[in-house]
Amino acid sequence: MSDSTSAAPVVLDIWCELECPDCHQALSDVHALRARYGDRLEVRLRHFPLDRHKHAYAAAQAAEEAVDQGEGWPYIEAVLARTTDLARTGEPLLIDVARELGLDAEEFDTALIDGRHMLIVDADQAEGKAIGVTGTPTYVIGDERLDGGKSQEGLRERIEEIVDRLLAGRD
């Protein structure tokens, strides 16, 4: 007799940073992948703040605070939509976005001061470096790493091929 429970989803890790315009452009692919696969694909944002972006590390910590407050992806998408503003304004924008989404902005401010999410951000970055991530966005699915950035062309199709293959291998 077979149980009708569904298998765990395929996992797509995206090493990203929230001040990166290329990561903002990658959002359309994330939306399309979610629409196509639904709960058969788990998309996980992994932090990879780049040194050249002054507010990326704070933005990564703020994203983790948003996760703690139950609004991780809405917050991430709202900040990515304003990468230019983040570069210009910095941490005040991170607090403003939290407030706009109805999150506890004071807690965001406190989290950025006390650094409670630093270990998560550092661990993501270290893991990314260990597997060869050098820029953002970088996608890891199955045992394959796909580098995005300015060469987003064709990446969604390649990810779909991998997801389809991994899902077919479960049947």
Side-chain angles (χ1 to χ4, degrees), residues 35-114:
R36 178 172 177 173
Y37 295 105
D39 61 2
R40 296 177 300 150
L41 178 68
E42 178 184 353
V43 179
R44 299 188 309 197
L45 180 110
R46 306 296 299 276
H47 301 289
F48 202 80
L50 301 170
D51 291 337
R52 71 176 175 260
H53 292 136
K54 184 170 144 183
H55 307 292
Y57 198 84
Q61 291 180 74
E64 286 302 317
E65 181 59 30
V67 168
D68 280 1
Q69 292 190 31
E71 294 292 329
W73 275 104
Y75 184 84
I76 289 161
E77 291 187 21
V79 173
L80 279 173
R82 297 165 72 175
T83 55
T84 303
D85 294 340
L86 178 59
R88 190 176 59 250
T89 313
E91 289 184 24
L93 174 80
L94 300 172
I95 307 301
D96 288 346
V97 169
R99 193 173 291 111
E100 290 166 11
L101 293 174
L103 301 173
D104 185 343
E106 287 183 28
E107 198 61 29
F108 269 77
D109 193 40
T110 302
L112 290 171
I113 291 167
D114 70 20

Side-chain angles (χ1 to χ4, degrees), residues 13 19 41 46 51 58 82 125 133 152-153 164 171:
D13 284 327
E19 197 174 336
L41 178 68
R46 306 296 299 276
D51 291 337
R82 297 165 72 175
Q125 191 166 44
V133 174
Q152 286 286 122
E153 188 69 34
D164 290 343
D171 295 332

Side-chain angles (χ1 to χ4, degrees), residues 15 47-51 57 120-130:
W15 265 266
H47 301 289
F48 202 80
L50 301 170
D51 291 337
Y57 198 84
I120 294 169
V121 175
D122 289 346
D124 276 0
Q125 191 166 44
E127 185 179 340
K129 286 179 181 178

